[in-house]
């Protein structure tokens, strides 16, 4: 599809100026705070060059807060994937032979450039994906830089990572990422793969390609050898072509469990390696002895961070029955204070839902919950003529077997269940196909350690939630996937360890 971009003023050649929300501290007079410019059209990044899609097809990526197109982006197909895998294969031999210290230098350069372009990356992330600017500014972008810094440090120490066992890179990695943390997921994928000496073809999500493309500009400016990183934008069919391609030695996928299962089937019986980071239905346990106000803040952070578009979101609140009423009063009062609206307003707590499709998915699950007899409480939603928004919502009287308690909603919707004993809490928390995350609020630290071993979850937080660090491994059990990203363990996903 060809699109025409609405420009109010004549732009500089091939670039255009974007308007921000009024609350963004925009001051053209100050160095480094000028307008962010996007290209009208973005091509693939293949073999170190900007390459038009073989099929000649582009699509519009839109701002979910305004429904306006932001830029045209290449829609990749099998032929583009073929070119990208070929480029990555050509680059593999020299890149993998480079001393780790040299590879590390490139990664340090990328990390610093992310910091230098932090403001631009944060704004574009919020415009393209809908997340509040305070999150992209204070979380996504700094974490992305940290991830490159962290793995840059490993690049020359790989032989020490596995007790002296010999290691070698896998080859060409095909990496497919979702739309909820577009830049950060790209960093989680690229940094360890490159540090270990692999080359990469990255497929960003169709609704949020822009920051991965800006990252490819950073990579180009850092003068990585051509073909070491290739970015093919497009839809699910481009992802599927990458999975199918026999020249890909390793597939790393973050996304839905449904697509993860398809990918696992496609690779079954081959010698190609796979890691899957899939969905979740995190249990957030609050015990009677927990500091209540802090626990409420933790629960809010656990479910409403990034509009609830978080695979490890604490979407099932399990609260001890004796304090349930008191906690709910505080929770309902607190969600009324959350600002829902313009992602570029620095006071916004909950931005736009990433896409119309995702909004419809949330609405359908919420309607199913109401039909099943759960009780809904939503904060009022400011009237918006355009854009995709959903109010922070809490459901009580949720049955264990209901869709609200079982299915991943991936939106700002919390389901509340209660328990009377610790063993009942564990049983309910583990009553899910997923196994990605859990949180525990209690005054007894011994209970945190005890329960951490009993909860079937890849990450368990104690008296906090949604805390991340590049040195800490992340990943799932059960239908939340396998393999780890982050930390020393994240290196194993990109190496043959002898
Ligand atoms: P998705 O539909 O599975 O898409 C993920 C990525 O895969 C996108 O780039 C998508 O392209 C691509 N894709 C779609 N169909 C494909 C296929 N048949 N073969 C190969 N690639 C394909 O998931 P999503 O809706 O983008 O993301 C939400 C889901 O991701 C949630 O379930 C969430 O829990 C999960 N998630 C998990 C983690 C984790 O670390 N465990 C982190 C973030 C998100 P398109 O964009 O064109 O569809
Ligand atoms: Mg978009």
């Amino acid at each position: 599809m060809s699109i025409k971009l609405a420009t109010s003023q004549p732009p500089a050649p091939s670039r255009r100026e974007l308007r921000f929300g009024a609350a963004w501290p925009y001051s053209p007079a100050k160095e480094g705070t000028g307008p962010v410019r996007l290209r009208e059209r973005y091509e693939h990044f293949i073999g170190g060059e900007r390459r038009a899609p073989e099929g000649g097809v582009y699509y519009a990526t839109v701002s979910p807060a305004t429904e306006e197109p932001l830029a045209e982006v290449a829609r990749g197909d099998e032929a583009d994937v073929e070119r990208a895998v070929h480029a990555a294969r050509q680059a593999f031999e020299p890149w993998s032979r480079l001393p780790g210290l040299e590879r590390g230098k490139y990664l340090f350069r990328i990390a610093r450039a992310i910091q230098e372009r932090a403001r631009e990356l944060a704004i574009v992330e919020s415009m393209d994906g809908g997340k509040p600017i305070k999150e992209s500014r204070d979380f996504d972008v700094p974490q992305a830089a940290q991830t490159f810094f962290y793995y840059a440090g490993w690049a020359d120490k790989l032989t020490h990572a596995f007790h002296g066992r010999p290691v070698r890179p896998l080859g060409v990695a095909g990496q497919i990422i979702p739309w909820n943390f577009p830049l950060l997921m790209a960093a989680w994928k690229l940094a360890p793969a490159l540090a270990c000496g692999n080359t990469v073809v990255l497929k960003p999500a169709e609704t949020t390609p822009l920051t991965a493309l800006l990252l490819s500009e950073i990579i180009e400016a850092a003068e990585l050898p051509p073909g070491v990183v290739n970015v093919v934008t497009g839809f699910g069919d481009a992802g599927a072509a990458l999975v199918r391609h026999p020249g890909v030695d390793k597939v790393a996928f973050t996304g839905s469990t449904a697509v993860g299962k398809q990918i696992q089937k496609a690779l079954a019986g081959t010698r190609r390696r796979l890691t899957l980071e899939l969905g979740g239905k995190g249990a957030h346990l609050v015990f009677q002895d927990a500091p209540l106000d802090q626990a409420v803040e933790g629960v809010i952070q656990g479910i409403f961070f990034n509009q609830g578009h978080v695979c490890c979101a604490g979407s099932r609140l399990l609260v001890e029955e004796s304090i349930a009423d008191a906690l709910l009063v505080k929770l309902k009062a607190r969600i009324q204070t959350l600002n829902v609206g313009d992602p570029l307003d620095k006071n916004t707590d909950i931005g736009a839902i990433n896409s119309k499709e995702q909004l419809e998915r949330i609405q359908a699950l919420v309607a199913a919950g109401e039909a099943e007899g759960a009780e809904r409480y939503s904060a009022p939603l400011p009237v918006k003529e355009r854009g995709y928004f959903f109010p922070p919502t809490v459901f009580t009287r949720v049955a264990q077997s209901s869709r609200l308690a079982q299915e991943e909603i991936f939106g700002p919707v919390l389901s509340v269940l209660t328990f009377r004993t610790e063993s009942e809490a564990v049983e309910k928390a583990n009553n899910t196909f997923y196994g990605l995350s859990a949180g525990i609020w209690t005054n007894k630290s011994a209970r945190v350690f005890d329960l951490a071993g009993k909860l079937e979850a890849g990450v368990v937080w104690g008296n906090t939630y949604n805390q991340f660090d590049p040195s800490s491994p992340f990943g799932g059990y059960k239908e939340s996937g396998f393999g780890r990203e982050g930390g020393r363990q994240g290196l194993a996903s990109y190496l043959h360890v002898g």
Side-chain angles (χ1 to χ4, degrees), residues 255-257 277-281 311-312 408 410 434-436 479-481:
S256 61
T257 293
E277 300 272 10
L278 308 176
K281 192 73 188 177
C311 48
C312 54
E408 183 178 46
F410 225 56
Y434 294 113
L436 193 57
E479 294 200 8
S480 290

Side-chain angles (χ1 to χ4, degrees), residues 61-62 128 207:
T61 187
V62 302
D128 203 16
T207 58

Side-chain angles (χ1 to χ4, degrees), residues 199-382:
T199 56
V200 172
V201 179
L202 178 77
K203 208 297 275 179
E206 103 196 30
T207 58
T208 53
L210 294 179
T211 48
L213 288 161
L214 294 187
L215 184 59
S216 78
E217 291 179 2
I218 286 173
I219 286 167
E220 194 178 358
E223 297 182 345
L224 252 77
V228 171
V229 173
N230 306 275
V231 179
V232 174
T233 47
F235 294 7
D237 58 336
L242 189 56
V243 170
R244 274 197 309 273
H245 199 293
V248 171
D249 302 294
K250 152 81 194 229
V251 174
F253 173 79
T254 298
S256 61
T257 293
V259 173
K261 285 181 180 178
Q262 289 175 27
I263 292 175
Q264 196 172 8
K265 277 186 197 151
L267 293 191
T270 72
R271 294 166 67 99
R272 299 156 65 203
R273 291 263 294 265
L274 173 65
T275 45
L276 295 174
E277 300 272 10
L278 308 176
K281 192 73 188 177
H284 209 158
L285 279 57
V286 182
F287 286 89
Q288 184 247 328
D289 62 356
L292 206 54
D293 289 325
Q294 287 173 36
V296 168
E297 282 311 305
V299 169
I300 293 278
Q301 159 76 3
I303 183 61
F304 299 122
F305 177 56
N306 198 29
Q307 296 75 244
H309 301 329
V310 184
C311 48
C312 54
S315 52
R316 284 182 303 150
L317 174 62
L318 296 176
V319 54
E320 192 160 351
E321 203 175 82
S322 54
I323 55 158
D325 289 346
L327 185 143
L328 280 170
V329 168
K330 285 178 185 283
L331 193 62
K332 287 176 181 175
R334 180 69 176 92
I335 67 173
Q336 292 201 44
T337 68
L338 296 173
N339 293 320
V340 183
D342 182 1
L344 295 177
D345 182 333
K346 67 184 187 317
N347 294 315
T348 292
D349 299 302
I350 299 184
I353 299 301
N354 182 267
S355 65
K356 189 161 175 280
E357 292 68 32
Q358 186 58 26
L359 180 61
E360 287 168 358
R361 223 176 287 163
I362 295 167
Q363 287 165 337
L365 275 162
V366 163
E370 287 178 307
E372 281 173 339
E375 211 165 89
R376 172 179 173 176
Y377 177 80
S378 288
L381 187 65

Side-chain angles (χ1 to χ4, degrees), residues 364-480:
L365 275 162
V366 163
E370 287 178 307
E372 281 173 339
E375 211 165 89
R376 172 179 173 176
Y377 177 80
S378 288
L381 187 65
V383 181
K384 293 249 174 241
E385 278 174 15
R386 310 204 68 183
Y388 316 127
F389 293 92
F390 197 84
T393 294
V394 175
F395 273 102
T396 55
R397 301 168 64 87
V398 176
Q400 256 304 87
S401 56
S402 70
R403 293 183 69 189
L404 284 177
Q406 293 294 329
E407 292 184 33
E408 183 178 46
I409 302 174
F410 225 56
V413 181
L414 178 69
S415 302
V416 184
L417 296 94
T418 58
F419 65 86
R420 286 187 183 164
T421 63
E422 204 174 279
S423 58
E424 187 190 352
V426 172
E427 193 187 316
K428 284 188 169 168
N430 289 341
N431 184 358
T432 166
F433 292 116
Y434 294 113
L436 193 57
S437 59
I440 305 162
W441 289 84
T442 175
N443 204 19
K444 292 195 188 87
S445 47
R447 179 186 264 158
V448 174
F449 288 106
D450 178 43
L451 290 185
K454 293 177 178 162
L455 293 168
E456 295 165 353
V459 56
V460 180
W461 285 289
N463 293 331
T464 186
Y465 208 91
N466 277 339
Q467 295 294 326
F468 295 91
D469 189 276
S471 63
S472 176
F474 184 87
Y477 290 101
K478 296 168 29 181
E479 294 200 8
S480 290

